[in-house]
Amino acid sequence: MKTDTPRPILLKDYRPPNYLIDTVALDVSLHPTRTRVLARLKVRRNPAWQGDPGPLQLDGETLELESVRLDGRQLGAGDYRLSDKDLVIGVPPSDPFTIEIVTYCNPEANKALTGLYLSRGVYCTQCEAQGFRRIAYFLDRPDVLATYTTRIEADREEAPVLLGNGNPVERGTLAGGKRHYAVWRDPHPKPSYLFAIVGGNLASYASDFVTASGRKVDLRIYVEPGKENRCAWAMDSLKRSMRWDEERFGREYDLDVFNIVAVSDFNMGAMENKGLNIFNDGLILASPETATDASFAAIERVIAHEYFHNWTGNRITCRDWFQLCLKEGLTVFRDQEFCADQRSATVERIRDVRTLKAAQFPEDAGPLAHPVRPGRYIEINNFYTATVYNKGAELVRMLQTLLGREGFRRGMDLYFERHDGQAATVEDFVACFADATAKDLGQFMTWYSQAGTPELVCQLKYDARAKTADLTISQVLPPTPGEPKKKPLHIPVRLGLLGGNGQDIDLTLASGQRLEGGLLELRKRSETFRFRDVPSRPVPSLLRGFSAPVNLTVELGDADLEFLMANDSDLYNRWQAAQDYATRVLVEAVKAIRAGKRPRKPAGFVAALGVTLKDASLAPGYRAQFLFLPSESDLARVMARDVDPLAIHKARKELRKAIGTTHYRALVDTYREYEPKGPYSPAPEPAGKRALRNVALGYLASRGRPEDIARVAGHFSNARNATDEVSALAMLSELRAPERTAAFERFYERWKDDHLVIDNWFAYQAASPLPSALATVVKLTRHPLFSIKNPNKVRALIGAFVMGNPVNFNRPDGKGYEFAAERVLEIDAFNPQVAARLLSGFRSWKALEVNRRRLAKQALQRVARTKPLSRDTSEIVGKMLE
Ligand SMILES: [Zn+2]
């Protein structure tokens, strides 16, 4: 941990490394408190380096140095300089040369969970972004690519399973039989952040896969013994991902084995280490009783994501950490396309846009706004953000929209062909699409360097005599911290015009050009597009499929929105119309509540929603999405200033009650109609039915009558799968009733021995809107099953409160903020990454009404004043208070 003021790192300062490391031979002797690492590095001068390369400066942190040898000669203390962040060796005598360094590290004491650490007795590693330097002295940067051979030695009893990157080469037992070893070799050059080893007592679930060219790959998922029977879904997802990447992008797997290890202490979701993915076990283990449909879907998505990195991230990696979106944005796009192909494309698109708007739009609108490719950072771990991941994916999607699927594929093929085995940049990536399709993408690059969510202001004017419609689109680019002036962007706008019969009108521009696929390309700050042969006043359906990550402003009356909800041929935009209508109704209601008036009855909206509820021609999974109202956070984001979370909560609760009351009959029918038959399946169709049934039940519960509460309690006790059980628990968590207490008690008794399922028990108490929530959360931090050192537990309890409980986190007395600030400081002392991420609960504090804003600021100032503070937390809190 550093207490000095850290210097920012700038993209424009990038220099290639002065030395390259071609091969790495590691000998790791595992020990809980004193693991010995011998690193043998073959080093040479980088021919791309101009002039004298100077000394060799190797990164290293928290390491205890034993010895350094240069070309076999032992160096004395005067031959190198050692600090707490590097080891500097004076100009070496020969080129190339070999360095052998022996160091020790302490896995048991490592609670930051980066580098080598122990998770429930299993040795594992996390090296992205800069964890390798906590294992060995190295040029720990992504543009140094080497082939690795790793020998791992351990106590046989303590760690019968020993895994490394690449293919297994050799294994054996040492004299005396107490210790054993395994050797792994990875033939593919890779940066150090993709290094991994695992050692422990693990059981495995095995299968295999034959690639398109006929090579057999052994697949194995390693888990805590006794959990093997919960791996089938993850394995099935892996095989489907491998097949899909061959079919969609022509990418085959390239090693003899692919191993996945599930561990229970993990800062992130999962990590794509070459041939040895390491996962948070919550994203591997699933059975119908223990995992909800949402968990099954998340497992499928993350397994695919990490697997797809094998080509986008591993075979082609990033030149420097500023290019993080090159691997993450692209790979999120690929996992989204995979899920769209496996499931309902519309429902997946709705889900992706919901995530983008909930996680990325507030980031872009607040003090943490940064471009998809940032130009500066202090702590790179703070840039694993929704902007880099989710907006980064939208940029790739826009490329596909602009070039068409076929043109996009040609660009990807060229990218794989041109940059395989390299560390590339965003410029390299986009150049492949420009070269493959001869399209000018110069202006498109601005998306990568400019922060903020653009607003598209659209106006449609119809001329009944000339039968023309003029669509004027202006892009408004609000300033973000450090970027007062913005350049216009190249924006794909997909649209349709609906005639009076609800059908799409053929789109012909005044020039006579027919607009195939309804795609306009906006390049100027403001442009008017004239459509001819428009027989009657059309209703515009703009930004179909959410063709660009922007906010859309267009004047549509209630009747227009109802019309779109019922008729739009683009089902995504139908859903969007319902969201817009609901948002309008709710924002008005919030204003009325704050003015002490009664909100007007939202009869039009409620009636329109009922039409879709009853429309059996639409898939249940889609109808479920349609019926979800915008969340309290969505509404706060749209309102943007003077936000009162309690008024928002009340307005939303009232509207839910009105829907539940008005459509009582239809909701009861829906609940009965989709009663599950037969055994549980996580497939999208039955999952969609369960989703619709649970949404219907939720609306019924919002009426709050005894028979409604009894229905939810019955749903809970009769549940035969985790989805129904957890949904009912979530509904009961909002109600003040004895059934609530009974359900939480029963859930606890049933699941207290399962460290994953019990997280629901923590999370739904923490997210409850009841006024007692904060006191409950404080009490639960002392519960024997809670551990502040375990990131999953922190997310389940403290994360659910800070990020998922707007009413109680934003208590008017500021106690929610105080609690969050205290926990951030507590966690910062041992795990800066998790602490800094928890702070993002405050990211929209400047939008709050004046009293809460003052209290939130006090809590942030308290964090900022504390010393020592990690680089991670001090960077985030500093930006928030700027
Ligand atoms: Zn990733």
Side-chain angles (χ1 to χ4, degrees):
M1 209 159 57
K2 305 285 177 303
T3 50
D4 49 323
T5 312
R7 218 159 39 96
I9 296 169
L10 307 179
L11 169 60
K12 68 176 173 59
D13 290 347
Y14 173 81
R15 297 284 175 280
N18 50 355
Y19 292 92
L20 297 174
I21 300 174
D22 293 320
T23 61
V24 179
L26 288 175
D27 195 333
V28 182
S29 186
L30 293 172
H31 183 279
T33 56
R34 209 168 150 74
T35 288
R36 181 179 188 270
V37 177
L38 161 63
R40 190 177 295 113
L41 316 175
K42 281 236 158 59
V43 190
R44 65 182 159 102
R45 293 179 182 181
N46 184 358
W49 181 268
Q50 307 287 326
D52 178 6
L56 174 68
Q57 183 180 351
L58 299 171
D59 305 298
E61 282 172 12
T62 63
L63 294 171
E64 181 195 324
L65 180 67
E66 185 184 88
S67 65
V68 187
R69 281 170 177 274
L70 181 62
D71 282 335
R73 181 177 68 90
Q74 172 101 28
L75 297 189
D79 300 327
Y80 55 83
R81 191 170 53 72
L82 189 65
S83 80
D84 62 355
K85 63 180 198 319
D86 57 15
L87 169 68
V88 183
I89 300 168
V91 187
S94 58
D95 185 55
F97 55 95
T98 302
I99 291 196
E100 289 162 281
I101 306 173
V102 176
T103 50
Y104 291 89
C105 61
N106 183 347
E108 200 174 84
N110 182 356
K111 298 299 173 198
L113 312 186
T114 156
L116 175 69
Y117 63 94
L118 276 165
S119 170
R120 284 163 83 98
V122 176
Y123 292 92
C124 63
T125 55
Q126 169 59 34
C127 291
E128 187 178 1
Q130 297 174 334
F132 191 73
R133 63 186 65 184
R134 295 160 69 96
I135 299 172
Y137 285 101
F138 203 72
L139 292 173
D140 194 12
R141 46 188 289 170
D143 55 357
V144 173
L145 307 180
T147 54
Y148 286 67
T149 304
T150 310
R151 181 183 177 280
I152 315 158
E153 187 193 305
D155 232 74
R156 253 170 72 168
E157 216 156 281
E158 189 191 26
V161 172
L162 298 173
L163 305 170
N165 304 101
N167 295 318
V169 179
E170 192 194 328
R171 57 181 303 156
T173 307
L174 298 179
K178 194 169 157 9
R179 284 180 80 77
H180 71 148
Y181 71 94
V183 180
W184 291 78
R185 184 171 301 138
D186 183 0
H188 301 281
K190 64 165 178 285
S192 49
Y193 81 86
L194 291 172
F195 172 83
I197 53 171
V198 168
N201 180 17
L202 296 159
S204 72
Y205 180 90
S207 188
D208 55 52
F209 179 82
V210 178
T211 67
S213 65
R215 281 187 326 101
K216 188 165 158 267
V217 182
D218 285 329
L219 310 175
R220 231 171 245 274
I221 300 177
Y222 289 88
V223 294
E224 210 173 271
K227 302 273 170 76
E228 305 92 290
N229 56 352
R230 295 197 200 169
C231 298
W233 176 252
M235 183 62 87
D236 181 57
S237 302
L238 174 62
K239 290 191 203 173
R240 283 184 283 120
S241 308
M242 294 177 90
R243 189 61 74 216
W244 185 88
D245 213 16
E246 293 180 343
E247 289 170 356
R248 177 73 181 272
F249 287 106
R251 298 296 110 196
E252 261 190 48
Y253 186 61
D254 54 7
L255 290 166
D256 304 336
V257 298
F258 187 80
N259 288 319
I260 294 176
V261 180
V263 299
S264 28
D265 300 273
F266 208 69
N267 280 346
M268 323 265 269
M271 178 63 209
E272 71 263 24
N273 318 297
K274 183 77 185 189
L276 178 57
N277 286 186
I278 298 180
F279 269 64
N280 191 321
D281 58 1
L283 287 163
I284 290 289
L285 302 173
S287 71
E289 299 75 39
T290 60
T292 61
D293 291 329
S295 302
F296 275 95
I299 289 168
E300 179 180 82
R301 174 175 295 242
V302 179
I303 288 268
H305 178 96
E306 305 308 333
Y307 174 73
F308 296 154
H309 268 314
N310 191 53
W311 275 95
T312 50
N314 300 6
R315 288 286 287 252
I316 306 179
T317 194
C318 303
R319 187 194 70 175
D320 52 75
W321 290 118
F322 294 102
Q323 320 292 332
L324 184 57
C325 67
L326 181 68
K327 76 176 180 79
E328 293 307 341
L330 175 55
T331 306
V332 170
F333 168 77
R334 273 151 57 70
D335 81 48
Q336 290 177 348
E337 289 289 275
F338 168 75
C339 293
D341 283 351
Q342 303 285 310
R343 295 164 174 261
S344 151
T346 305
V347 171
E348 289 305 308
R349 188 65 188 135
I350 290 170
R351 217 188 295 260
D352 294 341
V353 176
R354 265 191 209 283
T355 306
L356 179 82
K357 289 190 176 178
Q360 199 275 328
F361 277 27
E363 200 166 270
D364 239 352
L368 301 181
H370 57 274
V372 168
R373 181 174 61 183
R376 55 177 282 156
Y377 63 77
I378 288 174
E379 172 52 63
I380 185 57
N381 287 325
N382 286 334
F383 282 85
Y384 286 75
T385 59
T387 297
V388 169
Y389 278 65
N390 302 77
K391 188 174 177 183
E394 292 299 318
L395 304 200
V396 179
R397 182 173 300 280
M398 283 194 285
L399 281 175
Q400 179 171 260
T401 303
L402 289 167
L403 304 174
R405 234 167 117 138
E406 196 265 334
F408 180 78
R409 171 69 198 264
R410 270 187 286 140
M412 286 298 290
D413 287 349
L414 182 58
Y415 178 61
F416 292 128
E417 187 191 312
R418 199 184 266 179
H419 296 291
D420 187 14
Q422 294 179 7
T425 62
V426 168
E427 280 78 7
D428 294 333
F429 175 68
V430 176
C432 292
F433 295 95
D435 293 350
T437 63
K439 178 129 183 145
D440 180 1
L441 295 169
Q443 190 187 357
F444 187 82
M445 286 302 294
T446 308
W447 277 106
Y448 284 97
S449 56
Q450 199 165 273
T453 307
E455 183 188 358
L456 288 192
V457 182
C458 302
Q459 248 186 343
L460 187 78
K461 281 206 182 105
Y462 180 64
D463 183 333
R465 269 191 31 208
K467 305 268 183 243
T468 57
D470 286 358
L471 177 66
T472 302
I473 312 179
S474 310
Q475 40 177 318
V476 180
L477 304 150
T480 52
E483 278 183 35
K485 284 215 171 66
K486 307 273 185 182
K487 291 186 215 150
L489 294 158
H490 181 182
I491 305 176
V493 181
R494 213 182 264 294
L495 80 157
L497 297 178
L498 275 70
N501 58 359
Q503 302 276 314
D504 283 323
I505 295 167
D506 280 340
L507 298 178
T508 310
L509 290 171
S511 63
Q513 186 204 336
R514 288 207 35 186
L515 214 57
E516 300 297 342
L519 183 66
L520 288 176
E521 295 186 31
L522 181 70
R523 287 193 169 89
K524 298 182 190 147
R525 284 196 194 271
S526 185
E527 274 181 81
T528 299
F529 303 89
R530 172 163 292 177
F531 296 95
R532 70 180 208 198
D533 309 326
V534 180
S536 58
R537 188 191 84 92
V539 177
S541 164
L542 300 171
L543 211 68
R544 283 185 161 173
F546 201 64
S547 60
V550 300
N551 281 308
L552 183 69
T553 304
V554 54
E555 261 181 56
L556 289 174
D558 290 356
D560 290 335
L561 290 172
E562 277 169 42
F563 185 74
L564 290 171
M565 280 169 74
N567 296 295
D568 201 325
S569 65
D570 184 280
L571 286 182
Y572 171 85
N573 262 23
R574 237 190 239 205
W575 169 81
Q576 186 62 59
Q579 292 287 299
D580 291 345
Y581 199 175
T583 303
R584 177 180 297 178
V585 165
L586 286 163
V587 168
E588 265 182 40
V590 171
K591 286 182 184 153
I593 289 169
R594 294 194 69 189
K597 295 182 198 143
R598 271 196 76 78
R600 89 182 153 109
K601 289 238 177 309
F605 170 72
V606 174
L609 205 60
V611 174
T612 304
L613 167 66
K614 293 171 211 159
D615 187 346
S617 73
L618 297 167
Y622 174 75
R623 277 188 278 160
Q625 291 292 332
F626 208 92
L627 290 165
F628 288 135
L629 295 180
S631 71
E632 292 172 29
S633 308
D634 289 335
L635 293 164
R637 185 187 73 243
V638 172
M639 299 188 78
R641 63 171 68 95
D642 196 24
V643 167
D644 176 350
L646 189 59
I648 290 176
H649 177 73
K650 282 183 183 158
R652 199 170 173 281
K653 200 171 158 187
E654 278 305 304
L655 180 58
R656 286 181 56 78
K657 193 173 176 183
I659 295 166
T661 309
T662 307
H663 297 302
Y664 176 74
R665 230 19 291 161
L667 290 163
V668 170
D669 290 347
T670 305
Y671 181 71
R672 290 204 182 121
E673 186 183 343
Y674 293 107
E675 190 159 346
K677 296 169 191 83
Y680 172 90
S681 153
E685 211 182 306
K689 290 178 181 169
R690 276 188 293 274
L692 181 58
R693 190 164 183 255
N694 279 305
V695 173
L697 180 65
Y699 276 114
L700 292 168
S702 65
R703 301 189 327 151
R705 301 195 188 165
E707 70 262 31
D708 303 318
I709 295 170
R711 194 184 292 108
V712 181
H715 191 72
F716 177 80
S717 33
N718 298 328
R720 283 182 292 143
N721 56 67
T723 304
D724 289 339
E725 188 179 14
V726 171
S727 297
L729 190 72
M731 291 172 215
L732 288 166
S733 76
E734 303 194 7
L735 302 169
R736 229 181 298 243
E739 288 87 341
R740 175 192 203 271
T741 317
F744 274 95
E745 273 169 16
R746 192 180 137 159
F747 194 89
Y748 180 80
E749 281 309 315
R750 184 165 179 209
W751 295 113
K752 62 182 181 216
D753 296 326
D754 190 304
H755 69 270
L756 284 176
V757 183
I758 202 66
D759 284 353
N760 292 294
W761 182 79
F762 284 109
Y764 287 107
Q765 295 186 78
S768 167
L770 299 185
S772 56
L774 177 60
T776 307
V777 171
V778 170
K779 206 170 88 196
L780 288 174
T781 56
R782 294 188 290 266
H783 193 279
L785 293 183
F786 178 79
S787 162
I788 198 133
K789 300 266 163 77
N790 176 275
N792 282 0
K793 288 284 174 289
V794 171
R795 281 185 281 261
L797 183 64
I798 303 168
F801 178 76
V802 172
M803 307 295 291
N805 194 341
V807 172
N808 283 304
F809 174 61
N810 296 292
R811 281 164 59 117
D813 61 4
K815 292 261 194 296
Y817 307 139
E818 278 170 34
F819 170 78
E822 280 162 18
R823 298 293 80 70
V824 165
L825 290 172
E826 184 182 355
I827 297 166
D828 193 56
F830 57 85
N831 192 334
Q833 277 185 48
V834 168
R837 207 150 297 152
L838 205 54
L839 261 184
S840 57
F842 287 95
R843 68 186 166 198
S844 303
W845 73 274
K846 287 181 181 169
L848 293 164
E849 53 80 24
V850 57
N851 173 53
R852 287 178 172 90
R853 195 162 65 223
R854 180 176 55 80
L855 295 165
K857 189 175 184 179
Q858 280 172 13
L860 286 169
Q861 283 170 331
R862 181 175 160 200
V863 173
R865 272 199 311 269
T866 304
K867 286 201 167 72
L869 205 57
S870 72
R871 206 161 54 203
D872 308 57
T873 297
S874 95
E875 179 178 25
I876 297 283
V877 77
K879 278 190 188 171
M880 293 237 195
L881 288 169
E882 249 169 38

